[in-house]
Amino acid sequence: MTVPDLAERLAEAAATAREHVDHTDRAAAFPVAALDALRRTGLLGLLVPTADGGLGGTVRELVTAAETLGRTDMSVGMIFAMHCQQAEALVRHAGERLRKELLPRIAAGELYLASVTTEAGKGGHLLTAEAQLADEGGDLVIERFAPIVTGGTHADGFLITMRSPGEDATAGEVSLVYAHRDQLALTPSGDWQPMGMRASHSVALRLSGRVPGHQVVGEQGGFHRIASEVFGPLAHLGWSAVWLGTAAGALSRVLRLLRSPAGRERFDLGSDLLLCRLSRSRQRLDTVHALLQQALRTLESGADLSVPARQLQLNALKITAAEECHAAVDDLVTALGLRHGYLQDSPTGLERALRDLRSAALNYSNDRLHLADGRLALRDQGVTFA
């Protein structure tokens, strides 16, 4: 570990999330107290270099942190992982002026970043954009509607994908632009009453404003590089770690209940059905953990991630984690039955975990990734592995 006291920082943030999780889930309210803890502990600056005041953490430490937070509250884990993805994009691709303006503030806990990539008609597809930036005397004019912006009404800054300026710009010429909250007029649209992930408060948002030209991240029209180097890999690793943490936390709570004096009286720990369900749940999580660690090693190796076998591995991680973590909790619901598997007031928290994890296959759709993987598979006739 390169981050000092990472376990203590995470313990403080997780304890705050645990204190408020029942309320934020019931009310579909953004976890303000947990975000304050992430600010206070410096965890918002986990991936910011120490030279800029951050913790100088690695992607491996991001995975550890995301899994830890996911064990308590999947919404908090996802909010954190997505913020870190945005921060890493700035660390690696922002110009020097923008880095100096933003990185120390992220490290100080002053900037929680939200991602604006969804768009009506295209969903979460990263590499196309309909709404277009306008260049007016070197300033960039933003007029953008997004149907889903996680934490958007609470964010301090936004990273926004838009079509590049110019009459001839195509939908595939996508730019990434940063905007401070005070540079935008924000108009929320509709209510947020989802099945799960209720505390993520991912409302629709209209953003209008003007920013100076140096707030483009990377080159105009060059977002595809940021997507392949940062957005895609860190999304799949960070999300999968959160989902694994949520399912692992659920299994841990179930095992503690079963081994408690009350659990020993209520449940037959020698039941073949119970033991098989526990085994299947643990097997699913070990599978996800192994794939997550292998994908992490691939990223840490510095290898070219555009190679089909490596893209397939990263996509397989996301697809497998989304499916298997949800299935693992579903196994536990069946194993414990109505009282402790299905009711909201069970100390196992399975009902909330199951609802939250149902979103995983929809969060950048598994079906969309399977279509991409089919094309990638055709390019790897030798069936090589990363």
Side-chain angles (χ1 to χ4, degrees):
M1 291 290 181
T2 61
V3 175
D5 305 322
L6 179 60
E8 288 81 0
R9 297 172 194 267
L10 287 170
E12 180 178 342
T16 302
R18 187 177 303 111
E19 180 182 353
H20 297 277
V21 63
D22 290 337
H23 164 71
T24 56
D25 179 65
R26 283 195 305 270
F30 188 81
V32 175
L35 177 60
D36 287 344
L38 294 173
R39 297 181 190 274
R40 184 173 62 249
T41 57
L43 287 169
L44 289 188
L46 176 65
L47 298 185
V48 175
T50 54
D52 298 294
L55 297 180
T58 64
V59 176
R60 182 170 291 274
E61 286 165 321
L62 165 61
V63 165
T64 297
E67 182 183 337
T68 300
L69 294 172
R71 284 175 177 256
T72 298
D73 186 338
M74 185 167 139
S75 290
V76 171
M78 291 292 279
I79 287 164
F80 171 76
M82 293 172 70
H83 162 85
C84 288
Q85 175 199 50
Q86 310 303 298
E88 182 71 359
L90 292 172
V91 168
R92 295 180 57 180
H93 291 281
E96 190 60 26
R97 178 179 173 184
L98 190 60
R99 283 173 52 93
K100 288 181 178 179
E101 290 174 357
L102 299 184
L103 296 188
R105 296 187 63 192
I106 296 171
E110 297 172 5
L111 286 182
Y112 159 55
L113 303 172
S115 170
V116 184
T117 57
T118 60
E119 200 164 2
K122 72 158 187 137
H125 189 258
L126 282 178
L127 300 182
T128 60
E130 295 299 323
Q132 187 172 28
L133 285 168
D135 189 333
E136 295 184 358
D139 284 350
L140 298 171
V141 178
I142 298 168
E143 290 289 343
R144 181 76 154 79
F145 176 77
I148 294 176
V149 183
T150 296
T153 58
H154 296 267
D156 306 299
F158 301 82
L159 283 174
I160 307 164
T161 55
M162 296 187 69
R163 189 184 300 199
S164 301
E167 294 181 1
D168 299 330
T170 66
E173 294 179 69
V174 181
S175 295
L176 184 66
V177 60
Y178 172 80
H180 294 295
R181 186 181 186 87
D182 61 9
Q183 292 174 320
L184 297 169
L186 302 175
T187 307
S189 176
D191 195 13
W192 176 250
Q193 289 298 335
M195 176 192 300
M197 290 296 293
R198 292 173 59 77
S200 70
H201 206 256
S202 301
V203 296
L205 204 60
R206 185 171 296 280
L207 308 94
S208 304
R210 178 186 294 259
V211 302
H214 77 276
Q215 288 182 205
V216 170
V217 181
E219 299 178 354
Q220 283 280 17
F223 176 65
H224 62 280
R225 180 181 174 191
I226 301 172
S228 64
E229 294 181 0
V230 178
F231 270 52
L234 261 65
H236 290 184
L237 285 160
W239 294 346
S240 297
V242 174
W243 299 332
L244 178 61
T246 298
L251 176 57
S252 177
R253 292 188 295 273
V254 166
L255 296 174
R256 292 177 188 277
L257 172 66
L258 293 175
R259 297 299 299 272
S260 70
R264 288 176 179 274
E265 290 183 5
R266 179 177 180 84
F267 296 96
D268 177 8
L269 300 192
S271 163
D272 290 350
L273 178 60
L274 175 62
L275 293 174
C276 285
R277 292 290 182 181
L278 293 176
S279 170
R280 180 64 61 85
S281 181
R282 178 58 191 255
Q283 176 193 3
R284 295 184 194 279
L285 300 191
D286 279 329
T287 298
V288 173
H289 180 265
L291 187 51
L292 174 60
Q293 293 301 311
Q294 183 57 38
L296 184 55
R297 285 190 288 271
T298 296
L299 191 67
E300 289 174 331
S301 73
D304 181 3
L305 297 180
S306 68
V307 172
R310 298 186 186 114
Q311 289 189 50
L312 284 162
Q313 183 189 72
L314 286 167
N315 289 348
L317 168 63
K318 190 275 174 185
I319 293 168
T320 304
E323 294 175 348
E324 293 300 300
C325 290
H326 180 264
V329 174
D330 195 40
D331 285 336
L332 297 175
V333 171
T334 301
L336 266 62
L338 190 66
R339 172 67 186 89
H340 285 293
Y342 196 71
L343 299 186
Q344 289 183 345
D345 62 353
S346 169
T348 63
L350 291 182
E351 181 267 348
R352 182 174 62 245
L354 191 69
R355 284 189 286 108
D356 286 349
L357 284 166
R358 183 60 185 87
S359 71
L362 307 175
N363 193 16
Y364 204 92
S365 167
N366 279 10
D367 288 342
R368 186 185 299 230
L369 284 176
H370 275 303
L371 287 173
D373 281 356
R375 299 184 187 101
L376 288 167
L378 289 171
R379 293 168 52 193
D380 185 22
Q381 297 176 50
V383 191
T384 56
F385 297 105

